[in-house]
Amino acid sequence: MAFALLAKLYINAGIYTGTPRYNDVVAMADSIQQNKNYTLDARFRDIFLPNNGPQINETIFAVPYDQQIAGNQFTRFGFFYYLVNAYGFNVGLSIAMSTTPEFYARFNIPGDFRTKTWLVGPQFAPDAQGGFTTTPVYYPNTTTQIVITAPLILVQPKPMDVGNTTASQAEGVRSIKYYPDPTTTQATRLNGNDVPVFRLADIYLMKAEAELRGAPTTAVSGVMQTPAYLVNQLRTRAGAQQCPNVTLDTLLDERARELSWEGWRRDDLLRYGLYEKEYPLPNDVLSMDKSEYRRLFPIPINELKLNPNLVQNPGYPGR
């Protein structure tokens, strides 16, 4: 875990300190791979199931959750309410979180299982493999099949509001990467899926990026781990087409496909100089604050009061 944390710090070191440390990223990645406790799991789906845990071979560090440990509410806020019975549970949910079509468009590789971690289009009952059957799912007491649409079309005057009709509720791609937990109850609406913070797949991608940014290509167990080799290890696991050539741009898209909803997109966009790029939605009237000082978070006021040696980061109010 320490090596993984260091790799994360080193890969963004150039952003925060002005001194790139890509060679150190590779060194940390190789140190992790020398620990034989960590290997890629055979099935991408298994890493995020409600009963995931220590048996997952590639998870280096995870936050554990169950029905007693509050925190994992991905299904409560990210699932589509009218699909609860089809997925084997019946709990009141909030239709709150969805994904922009711009981000979802990256899931475009034939055969890629990772595409099945999204709900979009006509909805069909799930199968035992984490995919879908040919049995349509209908809105309750109707013969109307549920259809989830990718575009998020805002309705004014409220900001970030898509309306409250049945059709507008179905706007926005939903993630089921953290697969819905059938043991969740109305009392808690919690999920038992542990949430990985560091896993081996991310280590592969960080090493690939460090090599593309100038670090030397190194061998592990006698195999030269080029960027293409590392990326294709993950594509093979996902059943996706192989990638003959990897560039920094294609690697960023690969990180999106592999690591969506795992909390690293902000770091990635900062590193690529894309954090201030706008991704407007139809009818969006909000102006984005592109101030670069927001690349750093503010130091909490309580911490400033406790430690007089701390100085607030530039751009934010002081004490």
Side-chain angles (χ1 to χ4, degrees), residues 127-198:
D127 63 23
Q129 303 304 314
F132 308 100
T133 67
T134 58
T135 304
V137 181
Y138 302 106
Y139 282 103
N141 305 315
T142 76
T143 57
T144 301
Q145 186 176 9
I146 296 172
V147 178
I148 295 176
T149 55
L152 288 161
I153 302 172
L154 303 182
V155 176
Q156 297 303 322
K158 295 180 180 179
M160 301 306 294
D161 184 8
V162 296
N164 198 34
T165 67
T166 301
S168 64
Q169 288 175 359
E171 290 181 19
V173 183
R174 266 59 171 199
S175 172
I176 54 168
K177 186 173 186 175
Y178 299 97
Y179 203 78
D181 186 349
T183 68
T184 187
T185 66
Q186 184 64 38
T188 65
R189 293 183 282 188
L190 298 174
N191 281 41
N193 321 58
D194 297 344
V195 177
V197 178
F198 301 126

Side-chain angles (χ1 to χ4, degrees), residues 127-283:
D127 63 23
Q129 303 304 314
F132 308 100
T133 67
T134 58
T135 304
V137 181
Y138 302 106
Y139 282 103
N141 305 315
T142 76
T143 57
T144 301
Q145 186 176 9
I146 296 172
V147 178
I148 295 176
T149 55
L152 288 161
I153 302 172
L154 303 182
V155 176
Q156 297 303 322
K158 295 180 180 179
M160 301 306 294
D161 184 8
V162 296
N164 198 34
T165 67
T166 301
S168 64
Q169 288 175 359
E171 290 181 19
V173 183
R174 266 59 171 199
S175 172
I176 54 168
K177 186 173 186 175
Y178 299 97
Y179 203 78
D181 186 349
T183 68
T184 187
T185 66
Q186 184 64 38
T188 65
R189 293 183 282 188
L190 298 174
N191 281 41
N193 321 58
D194 297 344
V195 177
V197 178
F198 301 126
R199 60 185 180 94
L200 188 61
D202 193 2
I203 302 303
Y204 280 20
L205 293 173
M206 285 194 289
K207 181 178 180 180
E209 183 180 335
E211 291 177 349
L212 288 171
R213 294 186 185 275
T217 300
T218 62
V220 174
S221 300
V223 179
M224 290 301 293
Q225 293 189 323
T226 64
Y229 170 84
L230 291 161
V231 168
N232 284 326
Q233 293 298 298
L234 305 184
R235 287 204 177 186
T236 297
R237 189 258 299 277
Q241 289 181 349
Q242 297 288 282
C243 181
N245 184 45
V246 178
T247 67
L248 282 172
D249 287 341
T250 59
L251 186 68
L252 181 61
D253 286 345
E254 199 68 32
R255 288 189 62 82
R257 285 184 282 266
E258 181 69 25
L259 301 169
S260 62
W261 288 71
E262 293 185 52
W264 296 116
R265 191 65 176 174
R266 183 181 190 275
D267 276 14
D268 294 347
L269 294 180
L270 284 169
R271 193 167 61 253
Y272 274 77
L274 297 173
Y275 184 63
E276 288 82 24
K277 182 178 177 180
E278 289 194 61
Y279 301 95
L281 298 172
N283 301 328

Side-chain angles (χ1 to χ4, degrees), residues 16-85:
Y16 295 117
T17 71
T19 303
R21 299 188 64 172
Y22 299 121
N23 289 11
D24 292 324
V25 174
V26 171
M28 293 302 99
D30 290 351
S31 296
I32 292 167
Q33 291 185 74
Q34 289 165 11
N35 187 329
K36 302 305 180 183
N37 289 322
Y38 301 110
T39 57
L40 292 180
D41 281 86
R43 297 203 311 167
F44 184 77
R45 173 181 183 260
D46 293 351
I47 306 167
F48 308 96
L49 288 175
N51 63 349
N52 63 354
Q55 76 275 15
I56 301 301
N57 297 316
E58 73 181 74
T59 299
I60 298 168
F61 178 75
V63 181
Y65 290 113
D66 58 27
Q67 295 302 320
Q68 286 73 48
I69 304 175
N72 185 341
Q73 299 192 54
F74 282 118
T75 296
R76 177 180 178 180
F77 292 107
F79 196 55
F80 191 63
Y81 172 77
Y82 297 106
L83 292 172
V84 291
N85 288 323

Side-chain angles (χ1 to χ4, degrees), residues 303-314:
E303 300 301 322
L304 292 172
K305 290 178 178 178
L306 286 171
N307 186 348
N309 294 315
L310 291 176
V311 178
Q312 182 59 276
N313 286 324

